[in-house]
Amino acid sequence: RPGGGKAEVVMDQDRRPGPPAGDPLNVLILYDHWSVFTNTVREHLESFARFSRHRIAYAHAAADGPLTFPLDQFDAVVLHYSIRLAFDWHISPEFAWALRSFRGLKALFIQDEYDHTWRACQWIEQLGIGVVFTCVPPEHVRSIYTRVDHDRVTFHPTLTGYLPIDSDLGKHVKPLADRPIVIGYRGRALPFKYGQLGQEKLTIGVRMRAECESRGIPHDIEWTEGKRIYGPAWVDFVASCRATLGTESGSNVFDFDGTLASGINAALKENPRLTYAQVEERFLAGRERDGLMNQVSPRIFEAVALRTGLILFEGTYSGVVKPDKHFVPLKKDFSNVGDVLRRVQDDRELEAMTDRAYRHVIESGAYTYPAFVRQVDDALSRHAGPSRRTELPDSFGWVRELPPPTISPGGSARWKWFRRLPYRGAKAVFQLSGLKRARRQVRKLIAAQSLIFGDAVLREFYRTLRSTPASRTECGSRGRLMKELLRLALLRHVCRACPTVLCAAWATIRFEPAAGRVVFTSNPIHDLPPVIASGQAVVDQALAAVRDGQIREIIWEYPAVKAAAALNLGKVGNVEFNLGPDRVFRFTALERLSDVAPETAVRVLAHVAAGVHVTAAAVAGEVFEAVYRRAS
């Protein structure tokens, strides 16, 4: 990598000979359009359309993104980091199923790799991703991605962002004497789970503001969400500062399975007054791997382009900038803060430093998006093989250029008050949370009625238990019965792996004769094995036990990541039902029905269990075929 960074890792790069450099591929980039209001995310995405030699198309593939075209129109599909594989719900199930069956090259850009790392590994394996663009240094890749087949998957190092695409940043540059703010900064109080690197973003702002206030130095230093600045206003802000603060990005604490975050959250819920030092001693001791993920932030590139000085905590910054040469180093104990403040108020010294940084970072061209995209193009060409297509076909569902961003927080400070009226009006409407909740509840009630009483077997179940005073007393209140019926309907959809299920899951069943227990278990899609063992024999055993009166418990288990079931119900739209935090639900009314009317209970249980005995390949095939038919 240019500029003193680490060399590019290409594991097994000669496995597949690539096409000539000029041979373009059809490349589809899957992204989350709700993330593009952030400049760094949008520029990272747009760089491919602007600078790639390949033919680029984009498709929104987050949880609410429908697949309306077949993927086989493309030579390669790239998952962008705006779709976070650390969360099962973030990727559209339809795209996930289609990607499993896609035979072309599948690549992934991933960031925040310290969150649920093992879940990302599972997604890489299940989707068959062959190329991963990672922020993990090459020498640590194998120790972090321990659950990935490194003989099959190639990792390429990359930065979190690059020099802004806007080549007109120079027009915003002001002489140092015309900049009213000596030190400006917008930080953020990150969760404790990110360790010391995360805390430094808050520490540097809090302590430097106190120093500036005590010395009477003009400053604009904030760290709350309400003070964040977006869009053109951010450029104006940085250009108005003589210097800006900065720390290394990333986290050196890896939460591989999510237990660290859940443990810290539980402790904070029990005692919200816990300090970072207390959390560090209890949860983070021995887990911080110093120097592993310390990275340069894209904000540093922006500041250099605007010839704004840099006051940075001591660090390596991916080898991009050097202390005293390109930035003023600040010791983390603030022992040299007096010298730092003197240097940023010296016009001659600060101007010489910003000039050196500009020549090294900007004029060298080493950290631009065109240079970045060339590396990505070469990697895709090398691994995808020659293209069999000559152009992108016309299709509905993907675009060649990103659409405009949705309503974003903030906006330009230069807007007149009357130009902000529509934005403020829209924001006020969307802030009517009571109205939104009411609308969601009405949709849920309509959806629940449709799921329960639109199903003949569940409708018979309800009528049987409400037919006599004795059975009504036995099954409990109407509300408790409706809650159970709704969960039976949701479980049936999960067991059948219907395309209507927006949360990607699959189900198994087991019967425990000694305990008289039937247990359904729903699992996230990334845990799908090559073959699910046939469950029809288990279903038959459970039905026989119902007839013989041997059933004492019928349970649905679901992990924390599947605490909600989301379905697409046609005219009703997408509806999400919260299953509750207990991770298990017991069907008491169905258990009682097995004593009162065993044959009805058999029909209900068989109706719900239909589908759990299919193989994984059949599940994938059925869902993909349904999606493909919809696209056609």
Side-chain angles (χ1 to χ4, degrees):
R1 179 181 299 167
K6 296 182 174 65
E8 178 178 329
V9 144
V10 180
M11 303 176 187
D12 195 16
Q13 73 174 42
D14 296 324
R15 182 173 62 240
R16 299 183 63 182
D23 188 13
L25 305 171
N26 283 0
V27 178
L28 175 67
I29 298 178
L30 306 180
Y31 75 107
D32 178 9
H33 69 198
W34 301 106
S35 301
V36 298
F37 69 85
T38 303
N39 287 353
T40 52
V41 175
R42 187 174 186 88
E43 288 192 334
H44 196 276
L45 282 163
E46 284 186 334
S47 66
F48 300 104
R50 294 182 65 171
F51 306 120
S52 177
R53 68 171 179 266
H54 300 309
R55 294 180 288 266
I56 302 296
Y58 299 93
H60 170 60
D64 58 342
L67 177 60
T68 57
F69 57 92
L71 298 184
D72 58 9
Q73 304 173 80
F74 297 92
D75 301 298
V77 176
V78 177
L79 263 170
H80 188 256
Y81 68 76
S82 57
I83 295 178
R84 299 192 61 191
L85 294 186
F87 306 107
D88 288 324
W89 52 264
H90 203 175
I91 185 172
S92 161
E94 295 183 5
F95 276 96
W97 282 115
L99 273 174
R100 283 172 56 89
S101 304
F102 178 63
R103 298 304 178 192
L105 174 66
K106 289 170 273 193
L108 168 69
F109 280 92
I110 186 167
Q111 293 189 11
D112 299 338
E113 295 160 84
Y114 26 77
D115 285 330
H116 289 280
T117 313
W118 287 345
R119 190 175 299 162
C121 290
Q122 290 170 314
W123 274 112
I124 290 171
E125 290 296 303
Q126 289 296 331
L127 296 178
I129 289 171
V131 176
V132 177
F133 296 92
T134 175
C135 297
V136 176
E139 62 270 24
H140 297 296
V141 165
R142 288 181 180 267
S143 65
I144 297 301
Y145 286 94
T146 56
R147 300 191 174 188
V148 167
D149 181 3
H150 289 272
D151 292 330
R152 185 187 63 79
V153 184
T154 302
F155 285 83
H156 293 271
T158 184
L159 300 179
T160 57
Y162 294 84
L163 180 67
I165 295 176
D166 183 6
S167 59
D168 294 332
L169 281 179
K171 70 182 182 182
H172 298 278
V173 174
K174 302 176 182 178
L176 291 178
D178 295 341
R179 302 190 182 203
I181 303 169
V182 175
I183 299 177
Y185 180 64
R186 285 299 181 270
R188 177 172 279 159
L190 295 178
F192 291 162
K193 67 177 182 177
Y194 294 124
Q196 191 59 43
L197 274 183
Q199 291 305 299
E200 287 177 0
K201 293 184 179 298
L202 176 63
T203 302
I204 194 172
V206 172
R207 296 199 59 179
M208 185 57 79
R209 187 164 80 173
E211 293 288 345
C212 290
E213 289 175 347
S214 66
R215 300 166 190 257
I217 296 175
H219 64 279
D220 188 346
I221 301 173
E222 301 288 350
W223 50 82
T224 60
E225 289 299 318
K227 297 293 186 177
R228 302 292 291 178
I229 303 175
Y230 296 91
W234 173 253
V235 175
D236 292 339
F237 171 71
V238 177
S240 299
C241 303
R242 292 176 63 90
T244 184
L245 303 174
T247 68
E248 292 180 299
S249 294
S251 171
N252 290 324
V253 179
F254 276 75
D255 188 3
F256 288 97
D257 57 359
T259 56
L260 175 63
S262 59
I264 293 175
N265 290 340
L268 289 172
K269 186 176 181 180
E270 183 179 345
N271 182 10
R273 296 184 179 181
L274 284 176
T275 65
Y276 173 74
Q278 293 171 315
V279 170
E280 183 181 33
E281 180 181 5
R282 181 175 170 185
F283 293 98
L284 304 180
R287 298 190 64 152
E288 190 120 17
R289 303 171 62 176
D290 189 38
L292 172 58
M293 290 292 288
N294 302 48
Q295 301 164 20
V296 66
S297 165
R299 294 300 191 197
I300 289 178
F301 294 126
E302 296 175 342
V304 172
L306 291 166
R307 297 181 183 267
T308 297
L310 296 169
I311 302 174
L312 308 180
F313 269 160
E314 293 178 323
T316 59
Y317 296 91
S318 305
V320 175
V321 288
K322 303 292 184 182
D324 294 314
K325 186 176 183 180
H326 306 125
F327 69 90
V328 180
L330 173 64
K331 294 185 180 299
K332 295 183 180 181
D333 62 0
F334 273 68
S335 59
N336 68 333
V337 66
D339 183 57
V340 168
L341 292 174
R342 178 194 61 77
R343 295 176 69 179
V344 298
Q345 294 181 85
D346 184 328
D347 286 3
R348 185 174 180 179
E349 181 178 358
L350 188 61
E351 187 170 356
M353 185 173 288
T354 57
D355 285 345
R356 287 194 300 269
Y358 189 89
R359 288 194 301 271
H360 172 68
V361 175
I362 309 302
E363 292 182 352
S364 70
Y367 305 103
T368 63
Y369 272 108
F372 156 71
V373 172
R374 281 196 298 271
Q375 293 184 4
V376 175
D377 281 353
D378 291 343
L380 295 180
S381 295
R382 184 163 55 244
H383 295 283
S387 175
R388 300 184 302 274
R389 301 161 181 83
T390 57
E391 61 181 12
L392 278 176
D394 292 330
S395 183
F396 175 77
W398 56 263
V399 292
R400 285 182 170 86
E401 296 180 359
L402 291 180
T406 54
I407 293 178
S408 62
S412 173
R414 293 175 298 179
W415 281 11
K416 300 295 184 181
W417 67 270
F418 56 87
R419 293 184 62 190
R420 292 188 60 86
L421 278 178
Y423 167 75
R424 288 174 172 169
K427 185 176 179 181
V429 171
F430 280 102
Q431 286 179 337
L432 294 175
S433 56
L435 177 60
K436 288 195 296 182
R437 283 197 296 270
R439 291 182 62 184
R440 282 198 298 266
Q441 290 302 322
V442 170
R443 291 177 63 215
K444 282 186 179 180
L445 285 173
I446 296 172
Q449 292 279 340
S450 172
L451 286 170
I452 295 170
F453 296 110
D455 189 310
V457 176
L458 295 182
R459 192 165 60 243
E460 180 188 2
F461 177 25
Y462 174 80
R463 289 173 179 170
T464 301
L465 287 179
R466 300 294 299 177
S467 60
T468 64
S471 62
R472 287 197 293 271
T473 303
E474 183 69 16
C475 74
S477 66
R478 186 193 298 266
R480 178 65 179 78
L481 177 59
M482 294 296 289
K483 184 177 180 180
E484 180 165 325
L485 283 166
L486 176 59
R487 276 159 177 74
L488 283 170
L490 295 174
L491 177 57
R492 179 170 180 266
H493 277 260
V494 173
C495 287
R496 293 178 60 206
C498 294
T500 55
V501 179
L502 296 177
C503 55
W506 58 285
T508 57
I509 184 173
R510 72 177 187 271
F511 174 53
E512 303 171 0
R517 184 183 298 119
V518 177
V519 182
F520 293 93
T521 304
S522 60
N523 309 274
I525 186 177
H526 62 61
D527 282 334
L528 191 64
V531 177
I532 304 174
S534 176
Q536 187 58 52
V538 179
V539 174
D540 293 339
Q541 291 175 16
L543 297 180
V546 172
R547 291 189 176 96
D548 296 339
Q550 298 175 2
I551 294 294
R552 290 188 287 276
E553 287 184 334
I554 303 175
I555 294 172
W556 180 12
E557 296 177 340
Y558 46 88
V561 296
K562 288 299 166 196
L567 283 74
N568 186 312
L569 300 175
K571 292 182 179 180
V572 180
N574 296 344
V575 181
E576 182 176 293
F577 297 94
N578 184 22
L579 301 177
D582 298 332
R583 306 186 189 182
V584 63
F585 186 86
R586 183 174 177 181
F587 297 102
T588 54
L590 185 57
E591 296 165 5
R592 292 165 183 159
L593 182 66
S594 63
D595 295 329
V596 178
E599 286 305 317
T600 303
V602 166
R603 284 196 294 275
V604 173
L605 191 59
H607 183 60
V608 171
V612 295
H613 59 282
V614 298
T615 64
V619 172
E622 289 177 4
V623 175
F624 181 73
E625 283 299 321
V627 171
Y628 190 87
R629 285 196 300 272
R630 187 186 308 172
S632 302

